[in-house]
Amino acid sequence: MINYWDDLQAIRRKRPLVHHLMNYVVMNDAANVTLAVGASPIMAHAREEVEELAAKADVLYINIGTLDDRWVESFILAGKAASRNNVPVLLDPVGAGATRFRTETVLRILDEVEVGVLKGNGGEMMALAGVAGMIKGVDSLGEASPEIAERLAREYGVTAVITGPRDYVSDGKRVAIVSNGTPMLQYITGSGCMVGSVIASFMAVNRDFLIASVEGLVTFEIAAEKAERKSSGPASLKVNLIDELYNMKPSDYEMARVELRG
Ligand SMILES: Nc1ncnc2c1ncn2[C@@H]1O[C@H](COP(=O)(O)OP(=O)(O)O)[C@@H](O)[C@H]1O
Ligand SMILES: Cc1ncsc1CCOP(=O)(O)O
Ligand SMILES: [Mg+2]
């Protein structure tokens, strides 16, 4: 039994602070999506302030999308401050496998920071599981599997979330498969980054990260399904998606397509 609506209401009551180190491409959209579900975003990546912010945040979301040396320093400083203060961390390994710099940065963060949720697309997560060649830039070239999610969860001690036509979530013991969403999400840059903001918001109110991840995926993807009906293409889908997230109703969760094993 997953209490989607109760936890969405808990976000709206608590208005948790979600500290994002978010790439330049998606920064504005991720902030709007976070607000639409009822949480409070701050986008901040200066090394002079990230420790102070991450220590006081309800959740830290590290997204490596437009990294450079200074950003990497900030990922580590923010991540360690969060870990010291028991603040949950979500890591999005954007483009892992596409360049050595990205893969090595992700491995360094996983080594030095207490990551709660590692969320990437099929190609990125396969690269981190040792399956090369399934990523082109930031786009996945194939679907992963529940077994890869399970393997990543055990190897890195995280809840692994692999997005795609079907999403695979595992904490190493349990596996969840989410089949909501719409293929049109592939035509909006940042749909993966944005679903990360929604998952991070649920992590602030539910410390069972497998369930928080399913709640975030289902909420975002049901909103996308509803938005698609009103949209003529990707641009209107994005606008309608923010509206549908804001307007979620308890009955919308009857559309959830989730299989939970273990
Ligand atoms: N073919 C698809 N059908 C339904 N939902 C999809 C499809 N492709 C991606 N999604 C959804 O879009 C969101 C972003 O996933 P994905 O495209 O894998 O991430 P990224 O943008 O990081 O590459 C997720 O919620 C995922 O479930
Ligand atoms: C296009 C692009 N380039 C660097 S970050 C970024 C956005 C990636 O967003 P997503 O991972 O959600 O597709
Ligand atoms: Mg992505």
Side-chain angles (χ1 to χ4, degrees), residues 195-216:
V195 79
S197 296
V198 181
I199 293 172
S201 301
F202 277 98
M203 288 168 72
V205 297
N206 194 334
R207 289 287 173 124
D208 181 337
F209 294 151
L210 178 128
I211 300 297
S213 299
V214 171
E215 289 174 331

Side-chain angles (χ1 to χ4, degrees), residues 15 21 27 29-30 55 84 88 95 123 126 135-137 150 157 182 184 188 199 213 219 223 227 234 244-245 256:
R15 294 200 70 77
L21 283 81
M27 214 182 266
D29 291 328
R84 281 196 301 276
M126 281 193 271
I135 190 89
K136 181 163 72 175
E150 233 171 340
T182 155
M184 206 193 282
I188 311 178
I199 293 172
S213 299
T219 300
E244 294 297 341
L245 283 169

Side-chain angles (χ1 to χ4, degrees), residues 63 92-95 119-121 124 138 163 190-193:
N63 178 299
D92 189 335
V94 181
K119 177 214 66 73
N121 65 32
E124 292 155 353
V138 300
T163 56
S191 53
C193 306

